[in-house]
Amino acid sequence: MILTLDIHKAAPGIYVARVENAGVLVTEPAEYNSIEAAISGEASAVPEGFTHFMEVRYYGFSSGTDLIEVVSGKAAAIADRLIALVAEGHRLGLH
């Protein structure tokens, strides 16, 4: 099973994170003060052995699939990559 962590900016400094499996909500949406905090918090909250993979999405862009055990430690890099992809999407007029 691959969990999908979908993050949306609700307001400045408020990010809503939802963890899904095949489009079905696995956890209740939670609010965080940054994309990095959402990634780290949600990856750390998955019970050990529940799944082995997670994909992080932000504004339609994907981080790709990672081992869940490394996602929390890579939260800053994943967040930076997603923000860069969204910025490039805006530059290209995609959003």
Side-chain angles (χ1 to χ4, degrees):
M1 163 176 32
I2 300 172
L3 293 180
T4 301
L5 169 55
D6 193 20
I7 303 169
H8 291 278
K9 185 174 184 177
I14 300 174
Y15 297 86
V16 177
R18 302 168 49 99
V19 177
E20 303 172 345
N21 176 34
V24 177
L25 196 60
V26 174
T27 63
E28 291 299 315
E31 290 185 358
Y32 293 90
N33 64 359
S34 70
I35 297 168
E36 179 182 350
I39 295 167
S40 182
E42 293 298 314
S44 297
V46 175
E48 188 174 329
F50 182 73
T51 188
H52 298 286
F53 300 99
M54 179 176 269
E55 172 193 12
V56 182
R57 294 181 184 170
Y58 180 64
Y59 276 93
F61 290 95
S62 171
S63 67
T65 303
D66 276 302
L67 287 168
I68 199 156
E69 61 211 27
V70 301
V71 170
S72 187
K74 293 173 55 175
I78 293 169
D80 288 347
R81 177 163 165 66
L82 289 169
I83 291 167
L85 289 169
V86 170
E88 186 65 12
H90 283 296
R91 187 188 74 75
L92 296 170
L94 302 175
H95 288 275

